[in-house]
């Protein structure tokens, strides 16, 4: 029984990080109208930035988080106009071409990192938070707790920004209807760039913590892309609120499968459920997304 | 110069050059040597794989990021059927491999082909990841240590097997996509699904048929490939980089063009072999493939073949001669298949 509680709790704590990496992804889909296949690569790159901070700079990755955020936000700011350009180009099939473009970027990131660091798994050594916290019969790794705390703060700030600021209002307007948002004086292109760079920074910060909880290799990007997809499909594509629930569901699911079935089948089971959701309710479990 | 090119691209000229190409291909093992025969076996395989991706991607307008799943399913089907104990004839396993791949495509495609293209891309990709994990995890596929097949050392046997499969694929796709009502229906659905539906086309059925067609080809090729390399494991026949390669070959060749796949496959496969020979690894090749996909999408969305399309050639010649572009030439924007999509 305590194993079950332990497993669910571990899953919920990691689920927080899945929420963080999916929420920006979902929003950037809403604003740019492009499913970003590079989402997992941001996680992978962020984790390797964390590895670099401990091995080269000897700074604790937690203290390094703001640097990771700024760096990847800048990278995202540089990439976003290209995606925007492809998405709004006048060639035959802009939506598909934009998909292919982010797919190309993801492949480039994966191939580049594989060439640079090889296939060996690394772990981000987070020194500040170690050991476990004992709560009755269950033991919670402090790192997971810290990861969840980070996710809660980051997601909370993100939601505050989205629902309590004028820029956030503009972002939501663009996600709803680009043309009308443009007519209301919102600079759609600037907003898109802004959201994408925010998302890149947020996701790579989550990557640092994910790289601390699990080990990571340069070819792990697609796994996390799949996780993010799972979350947003379960939530309904473009629905930010659904992500909060779906991310936690994924965390618990992954944890349960790893403990009670086998880690070898996580992706297969995740895919099975993804498929069922698409068959039964393509707009997500809360029926808020767009089909 | 332009007259020579015009001759090649004219209808009679095209048939003649196709016949010449076929003659060269059929006689190749006789004079080309073992090494180049093996290279050409790879080129023909990839040409057909890129074509199969192009069927759903270029003609159907749905991007599949998990096409490797069908290749791997075909490879494992053949391997399982040829295992000692079952011991099927190699040629008898190929139709089964194709059918199994198509069946999986229909089951997966049925719910997601009704939705937007993004869902399809996600679902196919997740399928490939799941199939790879299942092949790694279950017992009868040998897990990550893979399966061995009976050994057949004849280079020309596999060359001809691939060539026949490749020519058949191109022939069938050409007839179905360019010379039949099915092709018109598929392109109509791609270009404007609502309008196509209002003409009485069952849009989901058409897309599903196209997806099944595009899965049969890698299924059969996977079967031949498994017998060719005599040992398969998830890393060799279910690796995501195989999909990457199909995508980039089809993009280089040009989406929605039959010939594009062959051109893209030839160019990319030779580059790939060169990378293997000079660097000994393929990780840098992955990066190059990614960069190439991104660059083509940005600057040449019609594929590199569009550089050599007829209108462009003559325009290029006129530009080189420093004259104005003749007005009668249809511009790129007016060619068919250019309507705005609703993916």
């Amino acid at each position: 029984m305590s194993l079950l509680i332990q497993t669910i709790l571990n899953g919920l704590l990691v689920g927080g990080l899945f929420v963080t990496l999916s929420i920006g992804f979902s929003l950037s889909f809403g604003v740019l109208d492009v499913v970003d296949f590079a989402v997992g690569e941001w996680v992978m790159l962020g984790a390797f930035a964390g590895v670099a901070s401990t091995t080269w700079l000897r700074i604790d990755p937690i203290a390094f988080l703001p640097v990771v955020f700024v760096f990847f936000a800048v990278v995202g700011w540089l990439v976003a106009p290209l995606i925007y350009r492809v998405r709004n180009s006048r060639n035959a099939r802009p939506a598909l071409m934009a998909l292919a473009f982010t797919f190309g970027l993801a492949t480039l990131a994966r191939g580049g990192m594989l060439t640079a660091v090889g296939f060996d798994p690394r772990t981000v050594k987070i020194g500040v938070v170690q050991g476990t916290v004992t709560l009755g019969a269950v033991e919670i790794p402090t790192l997971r707790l810290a990861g969840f705390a980070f996710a809660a703060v980051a997601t909370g700030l993100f939601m505050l920004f989205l629902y309590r600021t004028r820029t956030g209002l503009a972002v939501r307007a663009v996600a709803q209807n680009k043309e009308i948002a443009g007519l209301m004086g919102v600079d759609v292109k600037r907003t898109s760039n802004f959201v994408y760079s925010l998302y890149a920074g947020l996701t790579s910060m989550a990557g640092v913590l994910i790289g601390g909880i699990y080990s990571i290799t340069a070819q792990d990007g697609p796994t996390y892309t799949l996780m993010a997809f799972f979350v947003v499909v379960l939530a309904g594509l473009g629905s930010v609120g659904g992500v909060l629930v779906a991310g936690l569901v994924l965390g618990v699911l992954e944890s349960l499968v790893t403990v009670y079935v086998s880690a070898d089948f996580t992706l297969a089971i995740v895919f099975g459920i993804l498929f069922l959701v698409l068959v039964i309710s393509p707009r997500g479990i809360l029926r808020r997304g767009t089909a | 110069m332009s007259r020579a090119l015009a001759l090649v691209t004219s209808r009679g000229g095209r048939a003649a050059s196709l016949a010449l190409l076929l003659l060269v291909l059929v006689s190749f093992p006789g004079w080309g040597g073992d090494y180049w025969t093996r290279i050409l076996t790879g080129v023909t395989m990839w040409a057909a794989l890129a074509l199969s991706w192009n069927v759903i991607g270029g003609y159907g307008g749905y991007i599949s990021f998990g096409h490797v799943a069908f290749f791997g399913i075909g490879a494992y089907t053949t391997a399982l059927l040829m295992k000692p104990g079952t011991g099927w004839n190699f040629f008898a396993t190929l139709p089964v491999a194709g059918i199994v791949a198509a069946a999986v495509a229909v089951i997966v495609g049925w719910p997601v082909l009704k939705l937007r293209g993004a869902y399809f891309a996600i679902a196919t990709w997740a399928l490939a990841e799941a199939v790879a994990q299942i092949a790694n995890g279950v017992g009868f596929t040998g897990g990550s240590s893979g399966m061995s097949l009976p050994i057949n050392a004849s280079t020309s046997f596999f060359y001809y097997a691939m060539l026949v499969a490749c020519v058949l694929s191109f022939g069938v796709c050409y007839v179905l996509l360019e010379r039949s009502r099915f092709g018109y229906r598929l392109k109509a659905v791609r270009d404007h699904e609502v309008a196509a539906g209002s003409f009485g086309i069952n849009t989901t059925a058409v897309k599903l048929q196209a997806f099944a067609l595009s899965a049969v080809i890698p299924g059969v090729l996977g079967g031949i490939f498994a017998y060719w390399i005599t040992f398969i494991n998830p890393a060799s026949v279910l690796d995501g980089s195989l999909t990457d390669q199909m995508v980039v070959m089809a993009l280089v060749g040009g989406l929605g063009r039959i010939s594009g796949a062959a051109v893209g496959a030839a160019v990319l496969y030779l580059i790939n072999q060169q990378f293997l020979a000079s660097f000994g690894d393929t990780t840098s090749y992955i990066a190059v493939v990614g960069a190439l996909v991104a660059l083509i999408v940005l600057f040449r969305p019609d594929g590199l073949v569009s550089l050599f399309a007829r209108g462009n050639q003559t325009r290029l010649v006129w530009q080189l001669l420093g004259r104005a572009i003749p007005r009668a030439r249809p511009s790129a924007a007016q060619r068919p298949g250019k309507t705005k999509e609703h993916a």
Side-chain angles (χ1 to χ4, degrees), chain B residues 21-45:
Chain B
L21 177 68
L22 215 58
L23 192 71
V24 170
L25 285 176
V26 169
S27 65
F28 193 82
W31 49 269
D34 250 19
Y35 173 75
W36 284 105
T37 306
R38 271 199 295 274
I39 295 281
L40 210 56
T41 312
V43 171
T44 46
M45 180 179 92

PDB file of all heavy atoms in Angstrom, chain B residues 21-45:
ATOM      1  N   LEU B  21      17.318   4.524 -68.897  1.00  0.00           N
ATOM      2  CA  LEU B  21      17.629   4.378 -67.479  1.00  0.00           C
ATOM      3  C   LEU B  21      17.352   2.948 -67.028  1.00  0.00           C
ATOM      4  O   LEU B  21      18.154   2.321 -66.321  1.00  0.00           O
ATOM      5  CB  LEU B  21      16.788   5.360 -66.663  1.00  0.00           C
ATOM      6  CG  LEU B  21      16.950   5.274 -65.144  1.00  0.00           C
ATOM      7  CD1 LEU B  21      18.332   5.733 -64.729  1.00  0.00           C
ATOM      8  CD2 LEU B  21      15.884   6.097 -64.441  1.00  0.00           C
ATOM      9  N   LEU B  22      16.204   2.416 -67.463  1.00  0.00           N
ATOM     10  CA  LEU B  22      15.828   1.065 -67.068  1.00  0.00           C
ATOM     11  C   LEU B  22      16.838   0.046 -67.594  1.00  0.00           C
ATOM     12  O   LEU B  22      17.239  -0.890 -66.893  1.00  0.00           O
ATOM     13  CB  LEU B  22      14.423   0.757 -67.604  1.00  0.00           C
ATOM     14  CG  LEU B  22      13.561  -0.123 -66.712  1.00  0.00           C
ATOM     15  CD1 LEU B  22      13.395   0.491 -65.343  1.00  0.00           C
ATOM     16  CD2 LEU B  22      12.201  -0.347 -67.353  1.00  0.00           C
ATOM     17  N   LEU B  23      17.276   0.264 -68.834  1.00  0.00           N
ATOM     18  CA  LEU B  23      18.256  -0.623 -69.445  1.00  0.00           C
ATOM     19  C   LEU B  23      19.544  -0.615 -68.625  1.00  0.00           C
ATOM     20  O   LEU B  23      20.109  -1.665 -68.300  1.00  0.00           O
ATOM     21  CB  LEU B  23      18.529  -0.161 -70.878  1.00  0.00           C
ATOM     22  CG  LEU B  23      19.322  -1.154 -71.738  1.00  0.00           C
ATOM     23  CD1 LEU B  23      18.459  -2.355 -72.066  1.00  0.00           C
ATOM     24  CD2 LEU B  23      19.810  -0.471 -73.005  1.00  0.00           C
ATOM     25  N   VAL B  24      19.997   0.583 -68.273  1.00  0.00           N
ATOM     26  CA  VAL B  24      21.221   0.711 -67.475  1.00  0.00           C
ATOM     27  C   VAL B  24      21.042  -0.017 -66.148  1.00  0.00           C
ATOM     28  O   VAL B  24      21.900  -0.793 -65.722  1.00  0.00           O
ATOM     29  CB  VAL B  24      21.557   2.194 -67.241  1.00  0.00           C
ATOM     30  CG1 VAL B  24      22.670   2.338 -66.214  1.00  0.00           C
ATOM     31  CG2 VAL B  24      21.937   2.871 -68.544  1.00  0.00           C
ATOM     32  N   LEU B  25      19.888   0.193 -65.505  1.00  0.00           N
ATOM     33  CA  LEU B  25      19.649  -0.397 -64.193  1.00  0.00           C
ATOM     34  C   LEU B  25      19.620  -1.925 -64.261  1.00  0.00           C
ATOM     35  O   LEU B  25      20.191  -2.614 -63.421  1.00  0.00           O
ATOM     36  CB  LEU B  25      18.335   0.121 -63.611  1.00  0.00           C
ATOM     37  CG  LEU B  25      18.363   1.554 -63.083  1.00  0.00           C
ATOM     38  CD1 LEU B  25      16.978   1.987 -62.623  1.00  0.00           C
ATOM     39  CD2 LEU B  25      19.355   1.691 -61.946  1.00  0.00           C
ATOM     40  N   VAL B  26      18.937  -2.459 -65.309  1.00  0.00           N
ATOM     41  CA  VAL B  26      18.808  -3.912 -65.404  1.00  0.00           C
ATOM     42  C   VAL B  26      20.157  -4.561 -65.675  1.00  0.00           C
ATOM     43  O   VAL B  26      20.490  -5.612 -65.123  1.00  0.00           O
ATOM     44  CB  VAL B  26      17.772  -4.286 -66.487  1.00  0.00           C
ATOM     45  CG1 VAL B  26      17.827  -5.771 -66.797  1.00  0.00           C
ATOM     46  CG2 VAL B  26      16.374  -3.908 -66.024  1.00  0.00           C
ATOM     47  N   SER B  27      20.965  -3.921 -66.510  1.00  0.00           N
ATOM     48  CA  SER B  27      22.230  -4.547 -66.876  1.00  0.00           C
ATOM     49  C   SER B  27      23.340  -4.242 -65.884  1.00  0.00           C
ATOM     50  O   SER B  27      24.433  -4.791 -65.979  1.00  0.00           O
ATOM     51  CB  SER B  27      22.646  -4.074 -68.271  1.00  0.00           C
ATOM     52  OG  SER B  27      22.906  -2.681 -68.230  1.00  0.00           O
ATOM     53  N   PHE B  28      23.054  -3.399 -64.895  1.00  0.00           N
ATOM     54  CA  PHE B  28      24.122  -2.868 -64.035  1.00  0.00           C
ATOM     55  C   PHE B  28      25.007  -3.926 -63.365  1.00  0.00           C
ATOM     56  O   PHE B  28      26.236  -3.818 -63.409  1.00  0.00           O
ATOM     57  CB  PHE B  28      23.540  -1.924 -62.982  1.00  0.00           C
ATOM     58  CG  PHE B  28      24.584  -1.117 -62.279  1.00  0.00           C
ATOM     59  CD1 PHE B  28      25.091   0.028 -62.852  1.00  0.00           C
ATOM     60  CD2 PHE B  28      25.100  -1.540 -61.062  1.00  0.00           C
ATOM     61  CE1 PHE B  28      26.081   0.761 -62.230  1.00  0.00           C
ATOM     62  CE2 PHE B  28      26.093  -0.808 -60.427  1.00  0.00           C
ATOM     63  CZ  PHE B  28      26.579   0.343 -61.016  1.00  0.00           C
ATOM     64  N   PRO B  29      24.444  -4.966 -62.706  1.00  0.00           N
ATOM     65  CA  PRO B  29      25.323  -5.925 -62.022  1.00  0.00           C
ATOM     66  C   PRO B  29      26.328  -6.576 -62.967  1.00  0.00           C
ATOM     67  O   PRO B  29      27.377  -7.035 -62.524  1.00  0.00           O
ATOM     68  CB  PRO B  29      24.345  -6.974 -61.474  1.00  0.00           C
ATOM     69  CG  PRO B  29      23.059  -6.257 -61.385  1.00  0.00           C
ATOM     70  CD  PRO B  29      23.034  -5.290 -62.527  1.00  0.00           C
ATOM     71  N   GLY B  30      26.020  -6.606 -64.283  1.00  0.00           N
ATOM     72  CA  GLY B  30      26.933  -7.213 -65.240  1.00  0.00           C
ATOM     73  C   GLY B  30      28.236  -6.444 -65.397  1.00  0.00           C
ATOM     74  O   GLY B  30      29.297  -7.015 -65.599  1.00  0.00           O
ATOM     75  N   TRP B  31      28.162  -5.095 -65.277  1.00  0.00           N
ATOM     76  CA  TRP B  31      29.384  -4.311 -65.542  1.00  0.00           C
ATOM     77  C   TRP B  31      29.741  -3.362 -64.402  1.00  0.00           C
ATOM     78  O   TRP B  31      30.828  -2.791 -64.382  1.00  0.00           O
ATOM     79  CB  TRP B  31      29.243  -3.532 -66.840  1.00  0.00           C
ATOM     80  CG  TRP B  31      27.938  -2.755 -66.958  1.00  0.00           C
ATOM     81  CD1 TRP B  31      26.775  -3.207 -67.499  1.00  0.00           C
ATOM     82  CD2 TRP B  31      27.687  -1.430 -66.518  1.00  0.00           C
ATOM     83  NE1 TRP B  31      25.802  -2.249 -67.416  1.00  0.00           N
ATOM     84  CE2 TRP B  31      26.338  -1.133 -66.826  1.00  0.00           C
ATOM     85  CE3 TRP B  31      28.462  -0.435 -65.905  1.00  0.00           C
ATOM     86  CZ2 TRP B  31      25.753   0.085 -66.523  1.00  0.00           C
ATOM     87  CZ3 TRP B  31      27.877   0.789 -65.612  1.00  0.00           C
ATOM     88  CH2 TRP B  31      26.530   1.030 -65.919  1.00  0.00           C
ATOM     89  N   GLY B  32      28.859  -3.186 -63.424  1.00  0.00           N
ATOM     90  CA  GLY B  32      29.093  -2.153 -62.417  1.00  0.00           C
ATOM     91  C   GLY B  32      29.974  -2.585 -61.254  1.00  0.00           C
ATOM     92  O   GLY B  32      30.505  -1.746 -60.529  1.00  0.00           O
ATOM     93  N   GLY B  33      30.145  -3.895 -61.062  1.00  0.00           N
ATOM     94  CA  GLY B  33      30.953  -4.354 -59.933  1.00  0.00           C
ATOM     95  C   GLY B  33      30.121  -4.476 -58.666  1.00  0.00           C
ATOM     96  O   GLY B  33      29.056  -3.864 -58.541  1.00  0.00           O
ATOM     97  N   ASP B  34      30.617  -5.280 -57.715  1.00  0.00           N
ATOM     98  CA  ASP B  34      29.866  -5.592 -56.502  1.00  0.00           C
ATOM     99  C   ASP B  34      29.587  -4.365 -55.646  1.00  0.00           C
ATOM    100  O   ASP B  34      28.470  -4.173 -55.166  1.00  0.00           O
ATOM    101  CB  ASP B  34      30.649  -6.619 -55.669  1.00  0.00           C
ATOM    102  CG  ASP B  34      29.957  -7.971 -55.687  1.00  0.00           C
ATOM    103  OD1 ASP B  34      29.125  -8.193 -56.603  1.00  0.00           O
ATOM    104  OD2 ASP B  34      30.240  -8.776 -54.787  1.00  0.00           O
ATOM    105  N   TYR B  35      30.609  -3.538 -55.444  1.00  0.00           N
ATOM    106  CA  TYR B  35      30.448  -2.389 -54.543  1.00  0.00           C
ATOM    107  C   TYR B  35      29.347  -1.460 -55.030  1.00  0.00           C
ATOM    108  O   TYR B  35      28.425  -1.117 -54.286  1.00  0.00           O
ATOM    109  CB  TYR B  35      31.770  -1.629 -54.424  1.00  0.00           C
ATOM    110  CG  TYR B  35      31.640  -0.349 -53.645  1.00  0.00           C
ATOM    111  CD1 TYR B  35      31.517  -0.375 -52.254  1.00  0.00           C
ATOM    112  CD2 TYR B  35      31.604   0.892 -54.283  1.00  0.00           C
ATOM    113  CE1 TYR B  35      31.383   0.780 -51.533  1.00  0.00           C
ATOM    114  CE2 TYR B  35      31.464   2.062 -53.559  1.00  0.00           C
ATOM    115  CZ  TYR B  35      31.359   2.005 -52.194  1.00  0.00           C
ATOM    116  OH  TYR B  35      31.209   3.157 -51.480  1.00  0.00           O
ATOM    117  N   TRP B  36      29.424  -1.090 -56.297  1.00  0.00           N
ATOM    118  CA  TRP B  36      28.434  -0.141 -56.802  1.00  0.00           C
ATOM    119  C   TRP B  36      27.064  -0.773 -56.936  1.00  0.00           C
ATOM    120  O   TRP B  36      26.049  -0.079 -56.836  1.00  0.00           O
ATOM    121  CB  TRP B  36      28.895   0.455 -58.138  1.00  0.00           C
ATOM    122  CG  TRP B  36      29.961   1.473 -57.899  1.00  0.00           C
ATOM    123  CD1 TRP B  36      31.298   1.330 -58.118  1.00  0.00           C
ATOM    124  CD2 TRP B  36      29.780   2.774 -57.331  1.00  0.00           C
ATOM    125  NE1 TRP B  36      31.964   2.460 -57.722  1.00  0.00           N
ATOM    126  CE2 TRP B  36      31.065   3.365 -57.238  1.00  0.00           C
ATOM    127  CE3 TRP B  36      28.674   3.493 -56.881  1.00  0.00           C
ATOM    128  CZ2 TRP B  36      31.263   4.643 -56.724  1.00  0.00           C
ATOM    129  CZ3 TRP B  36      28.871   4.769 -56.363  1.00  0.00           C
ATOM    130  CH2 TRP B  36      30.153   5.322 -56.291  1.00  0.00           C
ATOM    131  N   THR B  37      27.024  -2.092 -57.135  1.00  0.00           N
ATOM    132  CA  THR B  37      25.716  -2.759 -57.161  1.00  0.00           C
ATOM    133  C   THR B  37      25.055  -2.641 -55.792  1.00  0.00           C
ATOM    134  O   THR B  37      23.859  -2.368 -55.686  1.00  0.00           O
ATOM    135  CB  THR B  37      25.874  -4.237 -57.547  1.00  0.00           C
ATOM    136  OG1 THR B  37      26.585  -4.301 -58.771  1.00  0.00           O
ATOM    137  CG2 THR B  37      24.525  -4.904 -57.713  1.00  0.00           C
ATOM    138  N   ARG B  38      25.862  -2.823 -54.736  1.00  0.00           N
ATOM    139  CA  ARG B  38      25.291  -2.675 -53.393  1.00  0.00           C
ATOM    140  C   ARG B  38      24.821  -1.244 -53.144  1.00  0.00           C
ATOM    141  O   ARG B  38      23.755  -1.012 -52.565  1.00  0.00           O
ATOM    142  CB  ARG B  38      26.325  -3.087 -52.339  1.00  0.00           C
ATOM    143  CG  ARG B  38      26.271  -4.564 -52.001  1.00  0.00           C
ATOM    144  CD  ARG B  38      26.944  -4.850 -50.681  1.00  0.00           C
ATOM    145  NE  ARG B  38      28.367  -4.567 -50.729  1.00  0.00           N
ATOM    146  CZ  ARG B  38      29.281  -5.441 -51.158  1.00  0.00           C
ATOM    147  NH1 ARG B  38      28.911  -6.631 -51.542  1.00  0.00           N
ATOM    148  NH2 ARG B  38      30.551  -5.117 -51.174  1.00  0.00           N
ATOM    149  N   ILE B  39      25.631  -0.275 -53.572  1.00  0.00           N
ATOM    150  CA  ILE B  39      25.224   1.126 -53.414  1.00  0.00           C
ATOM    151  C   ILE B  39      23.902   1.374 -54.143  1.00  0.00           C
ATOM    152  O   ILE B  39      22.972   1.973 -53.607  1.00  0.00           O
ATOM    153  CB  ILE B  39      26.305   2.073 -53.982  1.00  0.00           C
ATOM    154  CG1 ILE B  39      27.599   1.964 -53.183  1.00  0.00           C
ATOM    155  CG2 ILE B  39      25.802   3.503 -54.036  1.00  0.00           C
ATOM    156  CD1 ILE B  39      27.589   2.710 -51.888  1.00  0.00           C
ATOM    157  N   LEU B  40      23.828   0.839 -55.360  1.00  0.00           N
ATOM    158  CA  LEU B  40      22.628   1.077 -56.165  1.00  0.00           C
ATOM    159  C   LEU B  40      21.416   0.358 -55.563  1.00  0.00           C
ATOM    160  O   LEU B  40      20.291   0.842 -55.661  1.00  0.00           O
ATOM    161  CB  LEU B  40      22.873   0.616 -57.604  1.00  0.00           C
ATOM    162  CG  LEU B  40      22.096   1.385 -58.668  1.00  0.00           C
ATOM    163  CD1 LEU B  40      22.376   2.859 -58.575  1.00  0.00           C
ATOM    164  CD2 LEU B  40      22.434   0.869 -60.053  1.00  0.00           C
ATOM    165  N   THR B  41      21.654  -0.793 -54.921  1.00  0.00           N
ATOM    166  CA  THR B  41      20.567  -1.465 -54.210  1.00  0.00           C
ATOM    167  C   THR B  41      20.007  -0.522 -53.148  1.00  0.00           C
ATOM    168  O   THR B  41      18.791  -0.373 -53.000  1.00  0.00           O
ATOM    169  CB  THR B  41      21.065  -2.755 -53.523  1.00  0.00           C
ATOM    170  OG1 THR B  41      21.832  -3.500 -54.456  1.00  0.00           O
ATOM    171  CG2 THR B  41      19.909  -3.590 -53.037  1.00  0.00           C
ATOM    172  N   GLY B  42      20.927   0.139 -52.422  1.00  0.00           N
ATOM    173  CA  GLY B  42      20.503   1.107 -51.408  1.00  0.00           C
ATOM    174  C   GLY B  42      19.732   2.258 -52.030  1.00  0.00           C
ATOM    175  O   GLY B  42      18.694   2.684 -51.508  1.00  0.00           O
ATOM    176  N   VAL B  43      20.221   2.753 -53.157  1.00  0.00           N
ATOM    177  CA  VAL B  43      19.546   3.892 -53.799  1.00  0.00           C
ATOM    178  C   VAL B  43      18.135   3.510 -54.212  1.00  0.00           C
ATOM    179  O   VAL B  43      17.175   4.258 -53.955  1.00  0.00           O
ATOM    180  CB  VAL B  43      20.348   4.404 -55.016  1.00  0.00           C
ATOM    181  CG1 VAL B  43      19.543   5.425 -55.786  1.00  0.00           C
ATOM    182  CG2 VAL B  43      21.669   4.991 -54.584  1.00  0.00           C
ATOM    183  N   THR B  44      17.975   2.323 -54.828  1.00  0.00           N
ATOM    184  CA  THR B  44      16.629   1.937 -55.269  1.00  0.00           C
ATOM    185  C   THR B  44      15.708   1.763 -54.068  1.00  0.00           C
ATOM    186  O   THR B  44      14.550   2.171 -54.103  1.00  0.00           O
ATOM    187  CB  THR B  44      16.647   0.630 -56.082  1.00  0.00           C
ATOM    188  OG1 THR B  44      17.471  -0.320 -55.407  1.00  0.00           O
ATOM    189  CG2 THR B  44      17.161   0.835 -57.471  1.00  0.00           C
ATOM    190  N   MET B  45      16.249   1.182 -52.986  1.00  0.00           N
ATOM    191  CA  MET B  45      15.399   1.013 -51.802  1.00  0.00           C
ATOM    192  C   MET B  45      14.933   2.361 -51.271  1.00  0.00           C
ATOM    193  O   MET B  45      13.746   2.568 -51.012  1.00  0.00           O
ATOM    194  CB  MET B  45      16.161   0.270 -50.709  1.00  0.00           C
ATOM    195  CG  MET B  45      15.329   0.072 -49.466  1.00  0.00           C
ATOM    196  SD  MET B  45      16.191  -0.827 -48.186  1.00  0.00           S
ATOM    197  CE  MET B  45      16.912   0.497 -47.251  1.00  0.00           C
TER     198      MET B  45
END
